[in-house]
């Protein structure tokens, strides 16, 4: 029996994970269950598949409780909380996250990402749920001159409605924190999540044509895509291609468990903070491609094409605060993450 996480009343902590069948959500559910938490998932399968539940069970020998609920349906959300009044915490992943789609369909993003957040937070207040973790993003910073990016870096105007929903989401949390007598929350600002679980039983499931770099690389190597397009090589970087901070999804999942431990142990009744989750190291597209070819043994078919609208040149995290606040730092390398992505791709 894994070590059980006990509340003061000696029962197992029960955690709601919204979007728990999604990419980062499913990996976090695995780590929570490995630590003995009881997990309840809400996921409407808009960007995931039900078989992810089997992958979670195969890894942890525990099938989490699962509900298919549209979080923008206030009545359905209220009904769920009425029958789950014993939650010790919530990790809120559920949101649309395709930057390009948010530019062409802004209302879809504002409606989904913000209405669902407010519907949940209203129940957090009603049932006095004390610990809340919000899935935020480095997109809240926009294009910054000062690097690495710290949590006190300015939040420039978001370059997409998606990024704006994350900025507004953080503002909502901060306002709720200021107005509450009992509410502890952390907003985790992810840099670029990549990789898959070491078992290759769960991983990233891009539905349709992948928008992100690494799934496009693995699908190209697997022959599903013809050729990777590298969006621009005239950026002010050493090899001209964009630089990003690629973080292994297993490191990211563990940061959520650490955040929950920090919140539940905090004596103070109220708390709010934001934390960057990255490796602290930037890698260019060409470096990612070279590393992938080395770990996979595949030669990648790619071509340099014009820049993609909305891309920024360089972004990587200052990881000082994550170490201080969460006592957490990444363990995996870019090569580890890319090999795990490739193993996952081959398992599909
Ligand atoms: C990375 C780099 C592209 C695809 C997004 C979200 C951000 C966060 C991480 C959630 C860029 C280049 C990509 C391709 C390419 N998600 N690229 N060819 O745009 O840094 O960030 O994912 O929190 O919110 O904005 O990630 O993987 O799309 O792109 O050359 O086919 O790879 O130009 O430089 P991005 P990405």
């Amino acid at each position: 029996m894994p070590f059980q996480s006990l509340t003061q009343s000696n029962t197992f902590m029960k955690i709601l994970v919204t979007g728990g069948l999604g990419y980062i959500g499913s990996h976090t559910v695995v780590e929570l269950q490995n630590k003995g938490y009881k997990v309840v998932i809400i996921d409407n399968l808009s960007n995931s598949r039900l078989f992810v539940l089997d992958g979670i069970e195969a890894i942890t020998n525990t099938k989490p409780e699962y509900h298919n609920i549209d979080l923008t349906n206030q009545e359905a959300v209220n009904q769920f909380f009425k029958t789950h009044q014993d939650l010790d915490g919530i990790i809120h992943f559920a949101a649309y996250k395709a930057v390009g789609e948010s530019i062409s369909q802004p209302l879809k993003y504002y409606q989904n990402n913000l209405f669902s957040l407010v519907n949940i937070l209203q129940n957090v207040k009603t049932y006095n749920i004390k610990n809340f973790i919000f899935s935020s993003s480095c997109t809240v910073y926009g294009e910054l001159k000062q690097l690495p990016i710290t949590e006190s870096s300015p939040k420039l105007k978001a370059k997409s409605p998606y990024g704006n929903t994350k900025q507004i989401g953080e503002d909502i949390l901060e306002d709720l924190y200021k107005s509450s007598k009992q509410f502890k929350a952390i907003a985790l600002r992810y840099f670029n999540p990549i990789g898959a679980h070491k078992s290759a039983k769960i991983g990233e499931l891009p539905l349709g044509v992948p928008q992100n770099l690494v799934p496009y690389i693995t699908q190209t190597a697997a022959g599903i895509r013809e050729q990777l397009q590298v969006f621009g090589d005239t950026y002010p970087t050493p090899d001209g291609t964009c630089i990003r901070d690629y973080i292994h999804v297993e490191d990211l999942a563990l940061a959520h468990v650490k955040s929950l431990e920090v919140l539940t142990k905090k004596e103070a009744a109220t708390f709010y903070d934001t934390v960057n989750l990255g490796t602290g190291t930037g890698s260019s597209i060409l470096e990612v491609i070279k590393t992938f070819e080395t770990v996979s043994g595949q030669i990648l078919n790619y071509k340099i094409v014009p820049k993609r609208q909305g891309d920024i040149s360089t972004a990587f995290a200052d990881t000082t605060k994550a170490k201080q606040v969460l006592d957490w730092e990444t363990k995996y390398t870019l090569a580890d993450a890319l090999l795990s992505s490739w193993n996952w791709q081959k398992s599909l």
Side-chain angles (χ1 to χ4, degrees):
M1 195 64 157
F3 165 70
Q4 303 297 5
S5 304
L6 305 180
T7 55
Q8 292 72 5
S9 58
N10 259 346
T11 56
F12 307 141
M13 278 198 181
K14 188 186 274 190
I15 307 298
L16 168 62
V17 180
T18 71
L21 295 184
Y23 176 35
I24 304 166
S26 57
H27 288 79
T28 302
V29 169
V30 162
E31 297 309 332
L32 286 169
Q33 295 196 154
N34 284 342
K35 286 276 186 353
Y37 289 92
K38 182 160 173 37
V39 174
V40 181
I41 291 174
I42 290 179
D43 197 307
N44 69 356
L45 302 179
S46 64
N47 193 24
S48 54
R49 289 287 179 267
L50 197 55
F51 65 73
V52 173
L53 211 47
D54 302 328
I56 293 169
E57 184 179 15
I59 297 168
T60 63
N61 296 322
T62 307
K63 191 165 201 161
E65 182 184 335
Y66 164 65
H67 299 266
N68 184 337
I69 296 171
D70 175 355
L71 292 169
T72 62
N73 178 336
Q74 189 174 37
E75 192 38 52
V77 173
N78 294 348
Q79 187 51 37
F80 169 84
F81 279 94
K82 213 174 280 177
T83 57
H84 289 79
Q85 300 188 29
D86 57 348
L87 292 171
D88 297 291
I90 298 175
I91 305 182
H92 179 50
F93 291 102
Y96 295 150
K97 61 149 197 153
V99 172
E101 184 189 47
S102 77
I103 292 168
S104 60
Q105 300 183 60
L107 292 182
K108 176 180 175 182
Y109 276 68
Y110 288 117
Q111 199 257 355
N112 184 64
N113 293 6
L114 298 180
F115 284 27
S116 54
L117 175 62
V118 171
N119 286 343
I120 291 167
L121 290 176
Q122 278 168 334
N123 283 279
V124 163
K125 273 191 79 62
T126 306
Y127 297 104
N128 191 24
I129 299 168
K130 297 184 179 58
N131 306 294
F132 190 89
I133 295 169
F134 179 61
S135 167
S136 189
S137 166
C138 61
T139 24
V140 301
Y141 296 111
E143 171 103 61
L144 289 173
K145 298 280 170 285
Q146 173 256 344
L147 292 163
I149 298 171
T150 70
E151 289 81 355
S152 49
S153 300
K155 289 198 294 189
L156 306 180
K157 178 165 174 40
K159 300 194 80 162
S160 70
Y162 160 74
N164 203 21
T165 66
K166 292 302 182 182
Q167 286 185 346
I168 298 168
E170 290 189 7
D171 293 345
I172 291 169
L173 283 179
E174 192 163 8
D175 289 342
L176 182 58
Y177 152 70
K178 288 174 185 166
S179 65
S180 302
K181 290 192 173 35
Q182 281 200 321
F183 181 61
K184 296 179 281 182
I186 292 182
L188 298 174
R189 294 171 175 171
Y190 312 152
F191 279 68
N192 287 60
I194 63 168
H197 191 265
K198 60 179 75 65
S199 65
K201 294 186 187 310
I202 56 173
E204 192 167 7
L205 271 180
L207 307 179
V209 179
Q211 297 303 305
N212 295 125
L213 177 68
V214 171
Y216 208 105
I217 286 178
T218 57
Q219 288 192 11
T220 303
I224 298 166
R225 305 290 161 198
E226 183 60 36
Q227 180 182 58
L228 170 73
Q229 297 193 315
V230 174
F231 298 134
D233 66 349
T234 58
Y235 285 94
T237 61
D239 65 19
T241 64
C242 290
I243 289 174
R244 294 288 185 275
D245 186 335
Y246 296 96
I247 175 172
H248 195 305
V249 67
E250 286 201 61
D251 276 326
L252 207 51
L254 286 165
H256 289 75
V257 179
K258 290 291 272 188
S259 299
L260 200 55
E261 287 167 5
V262 165
L263 287 181
T264 48
K265 285 185 189 133
K266 222 156 249 311
E267 295 291 310
T270 61
F271 175 84
Y272 175 67
D273 212 347
T274 58
V275 179
N276 284 346
L277 296 184
T279 65
T281 303
S283 303
S284 75
I285 314 291
L286 294 181
E287 284 169 335
V288 171
I289 291 171
K290 189 168 175 312
T291 307
F292 176 79
E293 290 182 330
T294 304
V295 299
S296 67
Q298 308 290 313
I299 301 297
L300 196 73
N301 179 9
Y302 70 91
K303 184 174 76 168
I304 308 287
V305 299
K307 294 178 177 179
R308 176 174 71 173
Q309 186 212 356
D311 275 339
I312 62 175
S313 157
T314 303
F316 57 94
D318 180 306
T319 57
T320 311
K321 189 170 177 185
K323 183 65 184 149
Q324 282 169 349
V325 173
L326 304 180
D327 183 27
W328 167 91
E329 56 195 350
T330 53
K331 290 184 306 196
Y332 296 104
T333 64
L334 177 67
D336 296 331
L338 292 170
L339 179 57
S340 68
S341 292
W342 181 231
N343 290 336
W344 163 247
Q345 181 69 58
K346 288 187 293 183
S347 77
L348 292 172

